[in-house]
Each structure stands twice: as structure tokens, then as C-alpha cells.
Amino acid sequence: MKEGVKMKRGTTWVFGLILICLFVAGIGARSAFRRITQHSRSGYTLTSEAKQYNQDGTSRRLFFETRYVSTNGNWHDVKDYDGGMVINTFGIVGQGVFARRNADNNLSFLSSYDQPGPVLTAEGFQQHGFLRTETLLGHQIFVTNPINTPQVELYNDPLLDGAVIKMVHKKDTNTVVIEPLAVVMGEPSASALLMPTGLQVSYDTFNNLHKTND
């Protein structure tokens, strides 16, 4: 799916980073933190906005985002870019992570998703790349650095099972900030989590992302 690969590059490094951060069920976090609790997962709806701040004092909005997360581990993320592009990403336990650009007639397979990751606790965040605590949306947030990525700060919310609700990425010429606007606790509606059916699944993007250097 050449168009899908072009889309990924055209939206710069932001799309790739955000996909990783928005796998809120813990796809990426599983290897970083091992503190697991036994309580039920949280269902919620989180809205956010991404902006780029340039050195010359100018800024621009990149996208508006809505993230729906179910207590069963399924999730749906909607990114509405300023240029008009809309990307829907779905995480379905036992099926995988899929993305759909605008009204394309296919879904792009991005990764497997066999089970939700561990529920991350405050104790775990204090031991792995911990920087400080802050308060966002009335929640105590643990700010961390990903391993070997000092230019990125992740804002983790234990009340949302350790999900990253804010990200700051500092570059030489600009800083990109994904800022949470509001969170509504509770199970999202079934329709908000529903992935389209009857669409062809393309593995082109997955294969391109995992090409070897042979």
C-alpha cells in the first residue's frame, strides 16, 4: 500500500511516535515496567491537541485527537489533522492494531495485539526514567524519559492504567507538544469502539516498517 507509506512519511515523525504512545493498553510499556496490579482496567475518553512550537515564536496546530479506551483492552484513536486528513487507529485484543486513513477501502495492519499490557502503577514509574510529578486534569502525573531518548518526555497517568496522556518532543528547531484537554471516566459507547467490517486488510505498511537491512 504505497499510499499508506507515503502518508506515514508525509506527516513526519509525529505519526510514528504518537502511534507508539497511543497504544494505551501497554503494547510498548510491557518491556519498560513490570509493576502490575490486580484491579480492573479503567474505561475513559481522552481528548488532546498537538501543536508545534518553533524557535521564531510561531506555532501551528498539528491535529486534534480523541482516544476511546475500553475496560476490556480494546481502544480507538481518532486523529483529525489540520490539513484535512483523518486517521482512525483501532486496537482489538486478539486481532491486532489497524489504521484507516480517511475513507480508504482498506485497513492497514500495524502490529499484533494478543493481550493488554500490565496495569502500570506509581511505584513502577518512580523506578524507570522518572523525572518528576505534575498535576494534569486533576490527576497526579509521573513524567518519565523513554530509554535512550532524553529529548522526549512522557506524562503517565496511573489512574488511566499508566497511559501516556501528554508528550513533549524537543528538537533543534521546534518542540511538539501533545496536550490533554479533557478526560471523561467510564466505558465509551460500543459504537465509539467499533472497527469497520468488510474492508480488505493490507499488510504493506507492516512489511515496510519491518524490512530488514539485507
Side-chain angles (χ1 to χ4, degrees):
M1 185 174 124
K2 295 182 179 179
E3 184 182 10
V5 176
K6 181 178 179 182
M7 173 272 294
K8 177 179 177 293
R9 294 174 179 170
T11 54
T12 70
W13 51 268
V14 176
F15 179 67
L17 270 179
I18 304 308
L19 276 179
I20 296 174
C21 291
L22 293 185
F23 292 165
V24 294
I27 294 174
R30 185 176 301 133
S31 62
F33 304 113
R34 296 296 180 183
R35 299 277 183 171
I36 304 175
T37 62
Q38 301 300 318
H39 65 263
S40 300
R41 293 181 173 275
S42 301
Y44 60 91
T45 300
L46 177 72
T47 55
S48 307
E49 185 177 49
K51 288 186 176 181
Q52 176 179 299
Y53 298 90
N54 304 313
Q55 284 185 335
D56 61 6
T58 61
S59 64
R60 67 185 183 98
R61 180 179 175 273
L62 299 176
F63 59 80
F64 181 80
E65 175 185 14
T66 304
R67 186 192 310 177
Y68 306 94
V69 180
S70 173
T71 54
N72 66 11
N74 291 346
W75 53 269
H76 174 203
D77 180 77
V78 184
K79 292 186 183 65
D80 187 351
Y81 286 82
D82 263 18
M85 180 172 61
V86 177
I87 297 176
N88 286 270
T89 308
F90 301 87
I92 308 298
V93 177
Q95 297 185 36
V97 177
F98 305 84
R100 186 187 189 190
R101 176 186 176 185
N102 296 332
D104 285 353
N105 292 321
N106 57 58
L107 293 168
S108 292
F109 177 83
L110 300 180
S111 75
S112 60
Y113 185 24
D114 296 331
Q115 61 182 1
V119 174
L120 309 181
T121 69
E123 290 179 338
F125 290 119
Q126 290 175 327
Q127 297 181 18
H128 299 275
F130 174 74
L131 297 177
R132 62 188 181 276
T133 60
E134 293 189 14
T135 300
L136 288 174
L137 306 178
H139 297 184
Q140 184 184 43
I141 304 300
F142 289 78
V143 185
T144 63
N145 273 138
I147 298 175
N148 299 322
T149 315
Q151 71 274 21
V152 175
E153 291 185 351
L154 303 179
Y155 291 65
N156 309 273
D157 189 343
L159 291 182
L160 303 183
D161 305 330
V164 174
I165 67 168
K166 177 178 177 177
M167 185 187 77
V168 177
H169 187 142
K170 298 179 180 179
K171 301 182 70 179
D172 292 337
T173 58
N174 60 64
T175 297
V176 171
V177 179
I178 305 170
E179 188 80 36
L181 302 177
V183 62
V184 177
M185 302 301 296
E187 183 72 9
S189 67
S191 60
L193 295 161
L194 186 64
M195 186 172 70
T197 59
L199 299 179
Q200 181 179 354
V201 177
S202 170
Y203 291 85
D204 292 348
T205 300
F206 176 84
N207 292 334
N208 276 283
L209 290 172
H210 293 79
K211 277 183 178 179
T212 63
N213 295 321
D214 295 342

